[in-house]
Amino acid sequence: MQFAKRLACAALTFVVSNMSPAFAAREKLVIGITQFPSTFHPNIDAMAAKSYIHAMVARPFTTYDKDWNLVCMLCTELPTIENGLAKPELTADGKQGIAVTYTIQAKATWGDGVAVTTKDAVFTWKVGRHQKSGVGNIELYRSIYKIDTLSDKSFTLHFDKLTFDYNGINDFNLLPAHLEEKKFSEPGAYKNRTAYDTDALNKGLFFGPYLMTEMATGSHVVLEPNPTWYGRPPKFKQIVVRAIGNTAALEANLLSGGIDMIAGELGLTIDQAISFEKRHKQKYDILYKPGLVYEHIDLNLENPFLQDLRVRKALVHAIDRQTISERLFGGRQPVAHTSVNPLDWVFADDVPKYGYDPKQAATLLDAAGWRMGDTGFRINGQGQKLGFELMTTAGNRTRELVQQILQSQWKAVGIDVRIKNEPARVFFGQTMTERRYTGMGMYAWMSSPENIPRTTLHSNHIPTKSNNFSGQNYTSYKNPAMDELLERIETELDKSKRLVLWRQLQHIYARDLPVIPLYFRANAFILPKWLSGVEPTGHQYSTTLWVENWEIRP
Amino acid sequence: MIQFVFSRLFQSMAVIVIMSYAIYGLMGLMPGDPIDLMITSDPNMTTEGAARLRTLYGLDRPITERYLHWLEGAVTGDFGYSRLFSRPVFEVIWPALGNTAILLGSSFVIALGIALPLGILAAIKPYSKLDYSINLFVFAGISVPPFWLALLLITLFSVIFGILPAGGTADAAGASGLWERAKYLVLPIASLTLASIGGHARYMRASMIETLRHEFIRTARAKGLSQTQVITRHALRNALIPVTTVIALDFGYLFSGALVTETIFAYPGMGKLIFDAIMGNDYNLALVSLLFATLLTLLGNFMADVAYTWLDPRLGFAKGDA
Amino acid sequence: MTTRKDHPTSLVWHRFSQHRLAIASGFLLIWMGLLAGGAPLWKSLLVLDGQTVDLFMRFQPASSLHPLGTDELGRDFLARLLDGGRVSLLVGITAALFASLIGTVVGLISGYFGGRLDALMMRFTDGIISLPLLPLLIVLAAIDLSKLGVPVALINAENASLFRISIIVALAGWTTVARLVRAETLALRERDYVRASRAQGATSWRIMRVHILPNLAASIIVATTLSTGNIILLESVLSFLGLGIQPPIASWGNLLTNAQELIWEAPQLAFYPGALIFLTVIAFNFLGDGLRDALDPKTIHSQG
C-alpha cells in the first residue's frame, strides 16, 4: 500500500501543477452540495439544499447571525418592546398577544423591477395560513391572526401569543404577489402551479444578491448577480451549485477541479473532512463549526430497566465520549452534557457531568441489582439479562461507527446492546414518532439558538395513540418541575430572569438523564485558500445568507 | 407477421398495466412516506402539520385507491407530479432520458464494437492462448464491482492525472465545444462499457463456435476459402442471429448499470432518477420511470424477436440458452 | 450422470481439466470456502478479534498481532474479512441455490406440461425478465415486511438483512434457469425413452424425477455456479446503495462500501475486500465456464 500513498503524492503534485487554468478565470465559484432541492418554493418542504440556494436569491426578514444574535435582513430595524416597535396587547378573546411592526428595506426590489412591498407580506401570510397551500410551518402563519398595512413598506403583525422570541420571523419568506397571486386563485392546486416550480428562472421570484439563470433538475443551478439587489454588490459573476450525492465522488470532484468548495451545511462527514485536512491542508482551508445539531440517544423510559436512574447513569459512565470525540472527530465535535450548546448564551457549565468511569458504572449496576452473570452480561434477580436494542438511521456512517463503539464499551461493563438500524424515514416516520423503539434511539435534534425543548421534554408532548402521536417527547419523560420551567421560559421576556430558568432546566435535565447526551455535531467547510468571507453559523441558517461578503483573497 | 406484431404489442401493454400496479403496490409497502421525509428535514413541522399535508397529498388513502386515482389520470395523459422535483413527471423524465440515451447508446455501440471482434477472435481457436487472454480480460470486466471500477477510474483519471472531469455534465461546468462536452462522458461510458463487454463477447464466442461446427462451414472450407472469408462471408451472419436476441434480452440490465454509474458520476440520467425517486418515496416519478424502463426493454425484446423471425424464419422462438 | 450413456464421467473430467483457469478457480474457491467457512476456527487459532473496538488502534498497519492491520475502529481487519467472506459466500450460494430451485420447478412444469400453462408461465417469466433488475431489487430491499404480516421477531432477528437479501435476489434471479430448464425439458420429453416410459404408465412426477431431471443437472449446475458470482457482485452493489447487509454484520460488499471514503487514508481497507470480491466472482465465472464446456454434450460429441 506504500505504492498507493506514493501514487497519491505524485498525483497531488500533478494536480497542483495542472490547476493553473483555474486561476485565470476566478470570477466563478462552483459549490458542491450533496442534495438537490425538491422545490424552489421557499415555504413548501423545508430542505437544507433549498435553504442554501434560496439564501443567495432572497432574504428572510430576520435571522440569526454567526454570533447567534437575532438580526434584521429584509427589515430595517429589529422591532423590540424597548424601541416601541413591538407592543404587547390582548387579543379579541382576551389572550396575551403582541403587535410587531416591520419595515421592508426601501430599495428592496424583485428581480423584474417590481418593488417589494407590504402587499407581498400580506399575500405570503394568506398563502401560509391556508390549509391547502402545502406550506409546512403553518403554525407561524396561524399565530399571526391579523396584518395591518401601514404603508407600502411597513406593516404590523398581530400574534395571538407572547413569547420571548416574539420578534423573530425567520421562516416568513416573502412571495411575490404580482406573480403568485394568480397561481393561488385555486389554493388546492397552488403547490403544483407555483411559478417557483413551473417558471423557476423567472427573475421576479427573487430579490437577493443573485438570481437563478439556469437550472438542471437534480444536477445543478447557475446563479448570476441581480441588478436590482439593494445591498452590498456580490463579488462573483457566477455561482454554480452542483449536487453530487456520493461524498467520495464529491471529494474527487473537488480534487479534480470540478468544484471549488464543499458546503459545510451539506458536505463531507466530519471524519472524511479530518482525513481530507491531513492530506490537503496546504491547498484548502477547512473550517469546523460545532453547531446546534445535538446528537444523543433517547432512552425509552417505559422500559422497566431504563426507569432506574442508576442504570441510566451507569450507561453514561460506561461510555468514553471524550475519547470518541478526540479519536474519531479530531476533537472537533464537543461532548454534550445537556441539550444546550456551550455557544448558546443560556448555557450552564456547572451541571452534573458523567465522565468515563467503568468502575462507577459497575458499582451503580451492582447497586441496582444487576450482577455479572456467567455469559459476561449482567442479570437481575429474576435472571433477566441487562440488554437493550440500540437503533439509529441506517446508512449514516458516522452514527453506525459510534454505535459500534458504544456497543463494545457497554459490553465491557456487562450490558448487552443489540444494534438495529432502519432507513431514516422509517426511523423518524414510525419508530420514534410512535415510540415503537424498546430501548435506545440515536439521532440528532436540529435547533436554533435559545430554542426551548418544549416539544421534546414537556409531558404534554408524549406521542400516544390517543393524541394521534403528536409531540416529540419520545422518551416519555415526565417531570412537573420541567413542565413548569418550559412554560415559564417561553413567556419570560426578561433576559436575566430567563437565564436563571434556563440554568434550572439544564440541571434537572442532567440530573434526570432522560437521554444520553453524546456530542454536538460540527459542519466542515472545505474552502479554497483564495476564498475569504465564508463565516460558518453553527445553526440551521446558511452561510449563504451573507454570500455577498464572499470574495477572492487579494 | 402483422398478427405477430399485434399480439406482441397487446401482450406488452398487458405487462405494463400489471407492472404498474405491482410497482405501485411495492412502493406502498416501502416504509414511511414522502411526508416523513419532509419531517426529518423540518424542525418546525408539527404532527398536525404532517397529517394535514398527508391529506393534501392524498397519502392518507389506501394504496389501491391511490393507484386507481393515478390510473384514471394516466389514461387521460396526466401522470401526476414528481414530489422530489415538484414538476409533472414527464417534464422530469424527458431530459433525463435524453442524457441516458446518449450514455447508454454510446456505451452500447462501443461495447459491441469491442466485444464482437473479441468474441470472434476467441472463437477461431478455442482454448488457445489468445482465447484465454480474451477470456481473462472480458471476465475481469464483469467481475469487478461496478461502483468500485467507477471510483477507480475517477481516482486515476480525474484526481491523479487530472485529465478528465470526475462527474457531472458539461452544462454544469458551463463547458462548450464538442470535446469539452464529450470529456464528461468518457469515464461514465468507459465504466459502463467495461462492465458489458464481457457478456456480449461470451455470447459471440459461443455462438461463433457453434456456427463453425455446421456442415455448410465445412463445405465452405472444403471449397478452399480462407479462414477470414469463411467467417466474414458465411459464419458471421448466422452466428449473429442468436447474439442479437440475447443482447436484446439484456436490455433491462443496461438500466441497472446506468443506475450505479450515473449515481457515482452525478450524471442526471434515468438511472439516477429512478434511484432518487425510489429512495425519496416519489411514487409517481418512480412508477413512471420504472415503467418507462420496462417499456424500453420490452421494445428491445420485441425488436429482437422481429429481427429474429425475419432473419431466420425457421425458428419460432428464441433459444433458452442465455 | 451415469444414466447418460454418451456422457462418460472420465470424458467430462478430461474436458474440464483442459480448462486450466477453471481448475485454478475451483481450487481458489475451495480455499476461500475453507477460509470463510472456518472463520471462527481461524480466528480462535490466530487469536483475532473482529468485535472489540479500540479507538487508540485505528488504521494500524499490518503486524504480527494484526496480520492485515486494523480498521477504522481498531478491529482486526483479517477477522473482519473472514467474517465478511462467510456472509458474502453464504448469501451468494444460498441465493443462487434458491433461485435455481425456483427456476427448475417453473421450467420443468412449464416445459413438461406445455400448452396453456406453459404459455402463461413463460409470459410471466418474460415479464420478469423485462423488468429493470436493480431498481426492482432496491424497492424489494426497502419494503417494510411488517406491512406484509411477517412477524416482528423475525424481521428484527440479527441476521434478517442476510436472509432478506438472499430471498429477494432469488425472487428476481430465477428466470434464467427457468428458461434454460424449460427449453431442455421440451426437447427431453420427446425422447424415445420418455415416450416409452409414459406408454408404460409412469406418472408425470416419476418421469420428471427419473428421466428428465438427471439430464438437466449439468445445465443447472453451470447456471447456479455462474449466478453465485453475480449475486456476490450484486450484494456489493446493494451495499453501495445502502441496502445490502447492514452493519455490524460484515460482508465484503459493505466493507468495500465503507472503505470508499477512507481510500486515501487507509487504501488497504478498500483493496482487500475489493480484491476478494473480484477474485471470487471471476473464479465463479471461470468455474462455470469450464463446467459448461465440460458438461456440454455437443462439445463432447464433436470431440469424441
Side-chain angles (χ1 to χ4, degrees), chain B residues 8 11 15 19 23 26-32 127 132 135-137 139-148 151 155 159-160 202 205 210 213 218 249 252-253 255-257 259-260 263-264 274-275 278-279 289-290 293-295 297-298 301 305 317-322, chain C residues 15 18-21 123 126-127 129-136 138-140 142-145 147-148 175-176 179-180 183 226 230 233 236-237 240-243 253 256-257 259-260 263-264 270-271 274-275 277-279 281-283 285-286 289 292-293 296 298-299 302:
Chain B
R8 280 307 294 267
Q11 280 169 359
V15 170
M19 273 285 303
I23 295 174
L26 283 176
M27 295 282 298
L29 285 173
M30 283 172 60
Y127 311 108
Y132 273 123
N135 234 343
L136 202 61
F137 171 71
F139 273 174
I142 50 175
S143 301
V144 70
F147 63 95
W148 190 239
L151 283 172
T155 311
V159 180
I160 296 192
R202 296 301 297 169
R205 175 184 177 273
E210 180 85 30
R213 273 193 216 125
R218 288 190 197 165
L249 275 177
Y253 289 100
F255 279 95
S256 304
L259 194 150
V260 174
T263 304
I264 294 186
I274 292 178
F275 181 61
I278 295 174
M279 296 319 278
S289 41
L290 275 172
T294 312
L295 191 70
T297 314
L298 286 172
N301 295 354
D305 275 356
F317 232 96
K319 284 188 194 171
D321 185 60
Chain C
R15 292 288 308 141
Q18 296 238 303
H19 200 312
R20 266 176 248 139
L21 281 169
R123 282 294 106 201
D126 285 349
I129 288 180
S130 61
L131 299 182
L133 179 71
L134 194 53
L136 190 73
I138 293 171
V139 177
L140 285 175
I143 63 173
D144 178 4
L145 291 176
K147 287 191 187 171
L148 280 176
T175 50
T176 325
R179 287 176 68 107
L180 204 71
L226 288 172
N230 285 335
L233 210 55
S236 79
V237 171
F240 167 74
L241 298 172
L243 295 158
L256 181 55
T257 303
Q260 56 165 331
I263 175 87
W264 300 100
F271 173 78
I277 293 177
F278 175 68
L279 282 178
V281 177
I282 203 168
N285 278 325
F286 278 129
D289 199 47
R292 173 162 44 202
D293 285 353
D296 184 357
K298 277 178 243 153
T299 337
S302 66

Side-chain angles (χ1 to χ4, degrees), chain C residues 56-77:
Chain C
F56 292 94
M57 294 288 281
R58 303 176 75 208
F59 305 121
Q60 292 294 305
S63 65
S64 58
L65 202 62
H66 301 290
L68 292 180
T70 59
D71 72 355
E72 71 270 33
L73 290 180
R75 293 170 294 196
D76 184 83
F77 195 52

Side-chain angles (χ1 to χ4, degrees), chain A residues 109-125:
Chain A
T109 312
W110 297 100
D112 57 1
V114 177
V116 175
T117 65
T118 316
K119 255 193 215 152
D120 299 315
V122 174
F123 173 67
T124 305
W125 172 68

Side-chain angles (χ1 to χ4, degrees), chain C residues 183-202:
Chain C
E184 294 199 12
T185 308
L186 275 178
L188 285 170
R189 72 168 185 186
E190 300 307 325
R191 291 270 173 93
D192 292 339
Y193 61 90
V194 176
R195 290 183 173 190
S197 179
R198 205 179 296 139
Q200 282 166 14

Side-chain angles (χ1 to χ4, degrees), chain C residues 2-18:
Chain C
T2 44
T3 53
R4 282 193 183 185
K5 298 259 161 24
D6 55 344
H7 210 229
T9 317
S10 60
L11 190 55
V12 170
W13 174 247
H14 176 72
R15 292 288 308 141
F16 183 66
S17 63
Q18 296 238 303

Side-chain angles (χ1 to χ4, degrees), chain A residues 158-365:
Chain A
H158 296 273
F159 287 91
D160 68 356
K161 59 178 185 185
L162 173 56
T163 57
F164 70 87
D165 56 352
Y166 57 84
N167 50 2
I169 48 168
N170 303 350
D171 291 332
F172 196 101
N173 288 304
L174 222 46
L175 309 173
H178 67 288
L179 293 177
E180 289 284 276
E181 206 141 32
K182 251 184 283 153
K183 313 263 183 187
F184 192 63
S185 57
E186 197 188 315
Y190 176 66
K191 67 176 172 17
N192 289 336
R193 286 192 189 162
T194 167
Y196 282 102
D197 292 318
T198 53
D199 187 19
L201 301 185
N202 191 321
K203 289 180 180 168
L205 293 170
F206 305 110
F207 59 87
Y210 287 93
L211 293 174
M212 284 211 305
T213 55
E214 195 188 315
M215 194 250 302
T217 304
S219 165
H220 65 275
V221 172
V222 180
L223 308 165
E224 276 162 23
N226 172 12
T228 72
W229 167 242
Y230 58 87
R232 197 170 169 214
K235 306 297 179 301
F236 289 96
K237 289 209 174 132
Q238 199 181 57
I239 289 185
V240 181
V241 183
R242 287 184 55 193
I244 300 166
N246 181 290
T247 50
L250 190 64
E251 193 183 317
N253 271 281
L254 183 71
L255 291 175
S256 65
I259 54 178
D260 297 317
M261 61 171 272
I262 296 178
E265 288 88 345
L266 287 154
L268 300 186
T269 59
I270 191 83
D271 45 338
Q272 247 180 316
I274 289 168
S275 152
F276 183 87
E277 185 177 18
K278 281 185 201 148
R279 288 172 280 124
H280 302 291
K281 251 195 297 232
Q282 303 80 9
K283 267 196 72 204
Y284 293 92
D285 286 326
I286 292 98
L287 306 182
Y288 300 91
K289 178 93 176 186
L292 285 166
V293 184
Y294 170 48
E295 285 283 349
H296 65 279
I297 299 176
D298 270 5
L299 301 173
N300 188 338
L301 299 179
E302 283 178 355
N303 180 322
F305 299 170
L306 287 171
Q307 270 165 5
D308 190 333
L309 181 59
R310 288 169 298 188
V311 173
R312 301 207 294 274
K313 280 187 181 163
L315 281 171
V316 191
H317 274 307
I319 55 176
D320 191 354
R321 294 171 295 172
Q322 193 57 43
T323 307
I324 295 176
S325 169
E326 281 163 17
R327 306 297 303 185
L328 221 52
F329 309 132
R332 304 292 186 182
Q333 306 203 121
V335 172
H337 297 288
T338 70
S339 62
V340 177
N341 190 294
L343 295 175
D344 209 327
W345 75 276
V346 296
F347 173 71
D349 197 28
D350 55 351
V351 298
K353 288 169 190 155
Y354 307 89
Y356 179 51
D357 189 350
K359 276 201 196 116
Q360 179 65 20
T363 317
L364 281 163
L365 290 173

Side-chain angles (χ1 to χ4, degrees), chain B residues 34-286:
Chain B
I35 307 300
D36 289 330
L37 287 175
M38 291 189 194
I39 297 172
T40 61
S41 53
D42 187 353
N44 291 319
M45 177 87 80
T46 59
T47 316
E48 299 83 24
R52 175 177 54 85
L53 288 179
R54 266 194 194 101
T55 316
L56 187 62
Y57 286 86
L59 292 165
D60 54 344
R61 285 176 291 156
I63 194 88
T64 311
E65 198 184 315
R66 270 151 60 194
Y67 171 73
L68 289 175
H69 181 75
W70 176 84
L71 194 66
E72 215 181 285
V75 170
T76 61
D78 171 15
F79 290 88
Y81 274 78
S82 150
R83 191 202 70 85
L84 276 183
F85 302 108
S86 309
R87 303 291 324 117
V89 286
F90 272 102
E91 272 185 42
V92 182
I93 288 177
W94 288 129
L97 195 67
N99 288 335
T100 294
I102 296 174
L103 187 66
L104 289 186
S106 343
S107 95
F108 187 68
V109 171
I110 297 173
L112 282 185
I114 299 173
L116 298 187
L118 280 184
I120 295 169
L121 274 179
I124 291 173
K125 267 194 199 160
Y127 311 108
S128 64
K129 278 234 171 68
L130 181 68
D131 184 24
Y132 273 123
S133 320
I134 291 175
N135 234 343
L136 202 61
F137 171 71
V138 300
F139 273 174
I142 50 175
S143 301
V144 70
F147 63 95
W148 190 239
L149 180 68
L151 283 172
L152 191 78
L153 290 175
I154 293 179
T155 311
L156 269 180
F157 293 99
S158 309
V159 180
I160 296 192
F161 300 132
I163 45 177
L164 290 168
T169 56
D171 296 324
S176 53
L178 194 63
W179 166 237
E180 283 303 309
R181 298 185 78 85
K183 252 177 149 178
Y184 285 84
L185 287 167
V186 175
L187 291 184
I189 289 179
S191 59
L192 265 178
T193 306
L194 280 172
S196 53
I197 286 179
H200 302 337
R202 296 301 297 169
Y203 299 143
M204 189 65 230
R205 175 184 177 273
S207 174
M208 186 54 97
I209 290 180
E210 180 85 30
T211 312
L212 288 176
R213 273 193 216 125
H214 278 291
E215 205 57 46
F216 71 93
I217 297 292
R218 288 190 197 165
T219 321
R221 283 223 175 98
K223 281 198 296 188
L225 291 178
S226 74
Q227 178 79 323
T228 327
Q229 283 171 316
V230 169
I231 288 181
T232 49
R233 287 200 205 150
H234 296 273
L236 191 58
R237 186 189 146 110
N238 279 282
L240 274 175
I241 297 171
V243 174
T244 330
T245 328
V246 181
I247 287 175
L249 275 177
D250 272 359
F251 221 73
Y253 289 100
L254 281 179
F255 279 95
S256 304
L259 194 150
V260 174
T261 311
E262 291 177 356
T263 304
I264 294 186
F265 288 100
Y267 186 86
M270 283 297 277
K272 184 167 179 293
L273 196 67
I274 292 178
F275 181 61
D276 290 345
I278 295 174
M279 296 319 278
N281 265 349
D282 190 339
Y283 294 86
N284 291 341
L285 185 59

Side-chain angles (χ1 to χ4, degrees), chain A residues 50-81:
Chain A
K50 187 186 62 190
S51 312
Y52 191 81
I53 295 171
H54 193 256
M56 295 191 261
V57 292
R59 290 293 150 87
F61 278 99
T62 58
T63 195
Y64 284 100
D65 67 7
K66 68 173 171 45
D67 303 315
W68 300 15
N69 295 316
L70 193 67
V71 294
C72 253
M73 291 211 99
L74 181 59
C75 51
T76 50
E77 190 184 359
L78 195 66
T80 59
I81 295 173

